[in-house]
Amino acid sequence: MTRHRILSILLLTILIPITAILFHNYSAFSPVFRARFSQMATTNKSPVIVVGAGLAGLSASYSAIQSGASVRLLERAPKPGGNSIKASSGINGAPTHFQNVEKYGVDTSFWDDTTRSAGVRLNSASVSPTVKRQREELITVLTNRSASAIDFLTDLGVDLSVVAQLGGHSLPRTHRGAGKTPPGASIVTTLLTKLKEQGPDRFQLVTDSEMTRLLTDSNAPKGTVKVTGVEYKNRQDGSTRLLHGPVVFTTGGFAGDTHGLLAKYRPDLDGLPSTNDPRPGAHTILSDVGAKLVDMDAVQIHPTGFVDPANPASPLKFLAAEMLRGEGGILLHNGKRVINELQTREKVSNALMALPAKNEDLLRQWDVQLLLDPGATEAAAGHVGFYLWKGLLQKKKIAELDETTRQTLKEYAAAVRGEKEDELGRKAFGHWRLTEEDVDEGEEEVCVGRVTPITHFTMGGAVFNTKAQILTAELGEEQEGKEIEGLWGAGEITGGLHGDNRLGGSSLLECVVFGRVAGEEAAKYRV
């Protein structure tokens, strides 16, 4: 035996037990060592590919990284954030330590409110037991993990200390910050900061890059689909590139795709303005690999989008946050209230759209006034300040209002003070403090702006399960064995969760809840 061979055997004899000891005591090493070792361990595995940099994509990215993966996040727009960054009402959660338990008790009604809001797609006698069960399973994950979602965000540094009651909710559970930054922007910017702190080896954001198709394994067993990556086009240089790895699909809805998917599934909504940018929906990319779509005709009309006096015919509207009504704001047509402002978005929208419409440059719009008294204005100061700056709200003295409006304010003030029942059935009045005497004096200032119903959110999308896996099964079919391997979805691109109508505050919530699930599952899957 040669000297070199003898030395090699001796080295192996020494190194093997040392290595075993090191790995056996891996958890005892410093966090820095473990982080570096984990990073080394992931270099030979494919990254998790997240498509869409709204809140669902950001939540999935962070979850995947926390689960040990590296992430490549693709965004077709020049900047991340999507529609999530515009969200202004807040994020639902129950029960949380921010809620007023002393006043309202422990919040146990979130599941009930969500199932009720889902309407006939869940609650009709004609709904099959399997469809009902599958929808309720998704709702259970959403509501049961809502408190954890709030904790997750607050642990990252997001302020969610203010809780308001929105339409369709039994009590206040929609969280936002106490400052002037809207909740969507606050959450998105915080998550982006945390992701960028991971460094380029763990996280890369690629903007101006639109995915054109999903890559699949042609050798997958018959009857199954396996996604292996994506093809995307870089808008800056026009190049087409391939990226391999498990995919989390978070590209959002199609409310802004007026002449595309919206016209296909809801032609009756043609001509309505939208809160969403006018761009094509990505649902057909999922359909091309066998994903099934559900509830595509279920489009949520938000009752209040601001009509900008400087550009009333713009098809893209700023959302008049639902919390403005939650804090006491009222809706007026010709000086009279139209409906209990805390009804579901569907009911409020239907009531407003039953009024005479105004056709303005091919847009269908309504002439409705949103009015906030000093109490509601103060409670929503962060939002109101922005809307005033944009010219979407104007301050007026009560003496400047017409007689019909002043009389309406008196009647509403009497209901707020408990002197009479509100004739429209409203029970919660937020921070409204204007009195009948204030109206008579006419010196107090109110904020007034014109609003109109707008397309806002699409409940329909790809059928998925509680593990956020995209499926080739129709809703109501057996889902076992119908998962598209290597593909997950979260946020507005998915369907089956909300049914007929989504509760305000649950869009950001589903992004966080199912985004985290999808990121973790994709990280486990990597090859």
Side-chain angles (χ1 to χ4, degrees):
M1 185 179 294
T2 66
R3 179 184 300 176
H4 290 297
R5 188 166 184 184
I6 292 172
L7 288 173
S8 298
I9 293 173
L10 287 172
L11 284 171
L12 288 172
T13 304
I14 295 169
L15 288 174
I16 288 173
I18 290 176
T19 303
I21 292 170
L22 287 174
F23 277 92
H24 180 73
N25 294 288
Y26 172 72
S27 61
F29 284 91
S30 72
V32 173
F33 176 86
R34 282 186 279 119
R36 288 178 178 173
F37 184 86
S38 177
Q39 184 172 335
M40 292 169 58
T42 64
T43 55
N44 293 326
K45 291 188 175 182
S46 56
V48 170
I49 304 164
V50 181
V51 186
L55 181 54
L58 297 175
S59 299
S61 297
Y62 193 83
S63 178
I65 290 172
Q66 293 300 106
S67 300
S70 61
V71 170
R72 301 296 178 267
L73 176 58
L74 305 180
E75 169 57 47
R76 60 181 167 183
K79 295 180 180 180
N83 288 315
S84 303
I85 203 169
K86 306 175 188 176
S88 54
S89 290
I91 177 171
N92 292 333
T96 74
H97 62 278
F98 295 115
Q99 292 178 289
N100 190 336
V101 177
E102 184 176 341
K103 182 175 182 179
Y104 299 103
V106 176
D107 184 355
T108 59
S109 58
F110 189 15
W111 192 90
D112 291 334
D113 288 346
T114 304
T115 54
R116 182 168 54 253
S117 180
V120 297
R121 294 172 197 257
L122 173 62
N123 302 305
S124 170
S126 62
V127 175
S128 76
T130 305
V131 168
K132 186 177 180 66
R133 174 178 56 81
Q134 290 172 354
R135 290 190 187 274
E136 289 182 344
E137 285 174 350
L138 295 173
I139 291 173
T140 298
V141 171
L142 180 78
T143 55
N144 284 359
R145 299 192 184 187
S146 64
S148 174
I150 299 297
D151 290 340
F152 163 72
L153 294 173
T154 54
D155 287 346
L156 293 180
V158 181
D159 177 16
L160 296 172
S161 58
V162 177
V163 186
Q165 181 173 349
L166 304 187
H169 293 264
S170 298
L171 46 77
R173 65 168 66 94
T174 307
H175 297 63
R176 68 177 192 276
K180 294 183 178 181
T181 305
S186 178
I187 294 170
V188 165
T189 53
T190 299
L191 263 173
L192 272 172
T193 299
K194 294 295 182 182
L195 285 167
K196 290 175 181 177
E197 289 174 356
Q198 306 301 315
D201 290 337
R202 305 300 299 277
F203 175 73
Q204 291 182 21
L205 170 63
V206 186
T207 57
D208 279 319
S209 297
E210 183 159 16
M211 189 185 66
T212 50
R213 67 183 177 98
L214 289 164
L215 307 179
T216 56
D217 183 358
S218 59
N219 296 317
K222 187 177 180 180
T224 66
V225 181
K226 179 180 179 180
V227 168
T228 59
V230 302
E231 175 188 86
Y232 69 96
K233 183 176 182 179
N234 184 282
R235 290 183 171 181
Q236 293 182 344
D237 60 18
S239 62
T240 298
R241 305 174 187 181
L242 303 180
L243 190 58
H244 297 278
V247 178
V248 179
F249 212 91
T250 59
T251 55
F254 60 93
D257 190 8
T258 304
H259 302 299
L261 292 179
L262 191 65
K264 176 180 179 180
Y265 290 102
R266 285 296 300 273
D268 58 304
L269 299 181
D270 186 28
L272 261 66
S274 179
T275 57
N276 296 353
D277 292 321
R279 61 187 187 188
H283 299 63
T284 53
I285 294 176
L286 292 174
S287 299
D288 287 344
V289 296
K292 300 299 183 183
L293 305 179
V294 66
D295 298 338
M296 292 294 282
D297 61 329
V299 178
Q300 187 172 76
I301 310 302
H302 196 288
T304 56
F306 278 117
V307 178
D308 187 350
N311 189 14
S314 172
L316 180 63
K317 305 295 188 188
F318 275 98
L319 189 72
E322 194 163 5
M323 54 85 64
L324 299 176
R325 288 176 282 129
E327 296 295 4
I330 56 177
L331 298 174
L332 306 172
H333 178 67
N334 293 333
K336 295 183 179 181
R337 287 175 62 213
V338 179
I339 189 174
N340 172 0
E341 293 83 2
L342 293 186
Q343 289 278 17
T344 63
R345 291 178 177 181
E346 180 183 25
K347 290 182 179 179
V348 177
S349 297
N350 288 343
L352 300 187
M353 293 174 72
L355 301 171
K358 295 178 67 175
N359 293 320
E360 301 174 68
D361 290 349
L362 303 181
L363 289 180
R364 281 194 294 144
Q365 302 187 142
W366 284 262
D367 193 4
V368 178
Q369 279 66 52
L370 170 67
L371 187 148
L372 292 85
D373 85 322
T377 297
E378 183 178 326
H383 292 70
V384 170
F386 173 76
Y387 298 142
L388 288 169
W389 175 71
K390 291 289 292 183
L392 303 171
L393 282 175
Q394 292 82 37
K395 288 186 175 181
K396 292 184 178 182
K397 283 191 174 184
I398 295 175
E400 300 176 47
L401 304 176
D402 62 83
E403 178 58 33
T404 303
T405 299
R406 292 198 301 270
Q407 182 59 36
T408 297
L409 295 184
K410 284 185 180 182
E411 294 171 0
Y412 185 66
V416 173
R417 297 174 69 174
E419 297 172 1
K420 56 177 286 189
E421 289 288 325
D422 179 54
E423 61 181 11
L424 295 175
R426 183 162 177 165
K427 303 295 184 183
F429 304 96
H431 288 82
W432 184 280
R433 68 165 184 253
L434 201 67
T435 67
E436 296 161 86
E437 292 77 14
D438 294 328
V439 177
D440 285 333
E441 291 173 4
E443 291 302 309
E444 291 272 17
E445 283 189 328
V446 295
C447 286
V448 183
R450 181 186 168 192
V451 294
T452 187
I454 46 179
T455 59
H456 177 56
F457 189 89
T458 49
M459 274 68 72
V463 179
F464 75 133
N465 61 17
T466 56
K467 291 186 177 181
Q469 295 169 295
I470 301 295
L471 306 172
T472 59
E474 302 280 1
L475 193 71
E477 291 182 351
E478 176 59 46
Q479 296 182 346
E480 190 70 29
K482 297 291 187 176
E483 306 89 353
I484 298 180
E485 186 178 346
L487 180 65
W488 294 261
E492 199 175 349
I493 189 67
T494 58
L497 171 62
H498 301 295
D500 287 327
N501 195 52
R502 174 183 61 81
L503 279 175
S506 284
S507 58
L508 293 183
L509 178 62
E510 73 165 317
C511 289
V512 176
V513 168
F514 286 105
R516 294 178 70 194
V517 171
E520 182 179 352
E521 293 294 325
K524 292 178 185 177
Y525 175 83
R526 288 170 307 138
V527 293

